[in-house]
Amino acid sequence: MQIPADIKPADGRFGCGPARIRPAALASLAGPGAQVLGTSHRQAPVKDLVRRIREGLAELYRAPEGYEVALGNGGSTLFWDAAIYSLVEQRSAHGSNGEFSSKFAAEAARAPFLADPVIATAPVGSAAVPQPTAGVDAYAWAQNETSTGAATPVQRVAGDEGALTLIDATSAAGGIDADLAQTDAYYFAPQKNFGSDGGLWVSFLSPAAIERIGRIAATDRWIPEILSLQVALDNSRKDQTLNTPAIATLWLLAEQVDWLNTQGGMAFATARTQASAAHLYGWADAHELATPFVEQAFRSPVVGTIDFAEQVDAAALAKTLRANGIIDVEPYRKLGRNQLRIGMFTNVPTADVEALTACIDYVLERMA
Ligand SMILES: *Cc1c(COP(=O)(O)O)cnc(C)c1O
C-alpha cells in the first residue's frame, strides 16, 4: 500500500530513542563540528562544548543556587548503578510502572551492600510514586515511563526530609518541565528530547546530593571508578569526562540546548509537545478503532501510546507505515499490546503528528 506523498509527515521518524535529530544540528556537526571531531577532549574546543552543555542546561531548567550539572559515559542505565554506589546510603524506595523504572528497582535489589528496596508497583499505564518509609534515604521514579507513555509528577515525597529524590528524566527532560528544587538528581541521556545520540548520562545534582556523594566516597564502600559520582563531578567541574566521550554526541547536545534556549526554553518545548499530544489523544479519543492506553491524568506529552481495536492488526499497520518511511511507531517490545507508540519529542513539529494521524487514517480505511 502506497501512502500519498502529499499527506506524509515532512520527517518520518517517530521513535522514542534514539529519536529525531534536527537537520540543522547535523549540518553544524558536519560543518564547524568537523573541526572538533577527532581532537583531544582535554583541550579547549571539546571542553568548551561541555561547558556550553552545563551552562545551557542550567539556564534551560532555571537551576536553583548550588545545583550542578555532572555528566559521564554510559547513558541512563549506567546512572542507575552510579546512583546505587554513590547516592543510596542504606535503602532506596522506587516507583515502578514499566520497563525502565522497574530496572532501576531490580538493580537496587541486587546491590549486596544495600538493604532490600521498597518497591511501589503501579499497573503499566499508570503513574508510580514511592511511599514515605522510615529508613529510606533515596526515593526514585521515572518522570516519563517511556515503555508505556505514563508521566508521573515530580514532587518530593512528603514527610521525609533528608532523603534524596532521584528522578529518571531520560525521555522527559527537554520536553516536559520540572522544578529542580523538587529533586536531588534529575538525570537523563541525550537521545530523546535532546536530539543527540546515545551513550552519555547527564544529571543535575542538588547540594544535598553533592554532600551525600562526598560522604559516601569517604567511607570504605568500594566504588568502581566509572560508577563514582564523585569522580564524575570532579571531572565535570573541569568541563571534562572521566574517559573519552563521543564528541559528536556532545556537539549535538550542545547545539540542541542552545537551540532550545534561543527558541524560548522550556516554555517553547512544552507548548510544542503539549500541542502534539493534544492532537494525538484527541484524534484517538474521537476514533472508533483507537483509544489512548494511559489513564487520562498521566498521559505523556512526549510518548503517546494508542491501543487499537481487535479488528485492527497494529503490527501490520506499523509495518505498512514503515514501508512508507514512517518509522519506529512499534509498541515497546515487552508490553505485548495491539498498540502504536509515538514519540512526540520537542524536535517533532505538531504538523508532523497531524500528518501521522492522517496517514494512519489512510491505512486503516484501506486495511480491512
Ligand atoms: C531510554 C530510557 C532509559 C535508558 O537510557 P540509556 O541511555 O539507553 O541507558 C532509561 N530510562 C528511561 C525513562 C528511558 O526513556
Side-chain angles (χ1 to χ4, degrees), residues 18-365:
R20 195 183 292 207
I21 302 176
R22 287 178 307 113
L26 290 167
S28 86
L29 176 65
Q35 306 298 312
V36 180
L37 292 191
T39 71
S40 170
H41 57 298
R42 306 293 179 209
Q43 298 297 328
V46 177
K47 288 173 64 156
D48 283 348
L49 280 182
V50 175
R51 183 185 46 73
R52 264 172 71 201
I53 290 166
R54 296 178 70 231
E55 292 177 2
L57 284 170
E59 180 187 338
L60 183 67
Y61 268 91
R62 310 155 315 270
E65 190 64 34
Y67 278 63
E68 295 187 47
V69 176
L71 71 173
N73 286 317
S76 293
T77 302
L78 182 134
F79 191 85
W80 294 328
D81 291 313
I84 285 165
Y85 273 101
S86 285
L87 286 168
V88 183
E89 213 152 5
Q90 285 170 350
R91 192 178 195 200
S92 55
H94 300 256
S96 171
N97 61 339
E99 184 68 14
F100 293 108
S101 46
S102 71
K103 271 190 182 159
F104 187 11
E107 196 69 349
R110 277 194 290 270
F113 49 88
L114 297 179
D116 281 346
V118 184
I119 302 173
T121 305
V124 290
S126 188
V129 181
Q131 296 305 305
T133 310
V136 162
D137 55 67
Y139 291 94
W141 66 95
Q143 185 179 9
N144 190 71
E145 178 42 79
T146 317
S147 64
T148 66
T152 299
V154 174
Q155 194 150 32
R156 289 184 186 280
V157 174
D160 222 323
E161 268 151 54
L164 301 180
T165 300
L166 318 177
I167 299 296
D168 180 351
T170 308
S171 60
I176 311 180
D177 208 358
D179 174 6
L180 292 188
Q182 296 293 325
T183 74
D184 296 293
Y186 187 81
Y187 62 92
F188 52 90
Q191 70 272 23
K192 298 180 187 185
N193 286 294
F194 285 106
S196 180
D197 220 341
L200 190 76
W201 63 261
V202 182
S203 184
F204 288 101
L205 296 170
S206 75
I210 293 166
E211 189 272 335
R212 176 82 62 90
I213 288 164
R215 190 146 42 79
I216 293 178
T219 67
D220 59 5
R221 180 184 287 179
W222 170 67
I223 304 182
E225 203 178 28
I226 193 85
L227 297 174
S228 165
L229 292 179
Q230 187 63 60
V231 170
L233 192 57
D234 292 344
N235 277 283
S236 302
R237 284 170 170 161
K238 291 184 257 172
D239 295 323
Q240 299 192 128
T241 46
L242 168 66
N243 61 324
T244 316
I247 295 168
T249 299
L250 295 175
W251 183 278
L252 292 170
L253 173 56
E255 285 293 307
Q256 180 80 351
V257 170
D258 283 356
W259 177 75
L260 285 168
N261 280 327
T262 336
Q263 296 295 310
M266 287 310 296
F268 158 76
T270 58
R272 181 180 270 196
T273 58
Q274 282 167 10
S276 298
H279 170 74
L280 180 72
Y281 297 127
W283 167 84
D285 275 330
H287 203 295
E288 56 175 358
L289 297 173
T291 323
F293 167 55
V294 173
E295 290 171 42
Q296 183 139 24
F298 306 121
R299 283 178 198 162
S300 166
V302 292
V303 172
T305 44
I306 304 297
D307 278 345
F308 286 89
E310 243 174 87
Q311 64 264 42
V312 174
D313 179 349
L317 171 59
K319 212 171 155 188
T320 302
L321 292 168
R322 181 172 285 281
N324 282 275
I326 298 166
I327 60 167
D328 294 344
V329 296
E330 290 82 5
Y332 191 76
R333 58 203 148 87
K334 289 189 203 153
L335 213 53
R337 297 187 69 90
N338 193 38
Q339 183 175 93
L340 296 186
R341 180 178 63 158
I342 292 147
M344 300 176 285
F345 294 132
T346 307
N347 280 346
V348 177
T350 300
D352 276 0
V353 179
E354 292 165 353
L356 170 67
T357 57
C359 291
I360 295 173
D361 281 335
Y362 183 92
V363 176
L364 286 178
E365 280 158 22

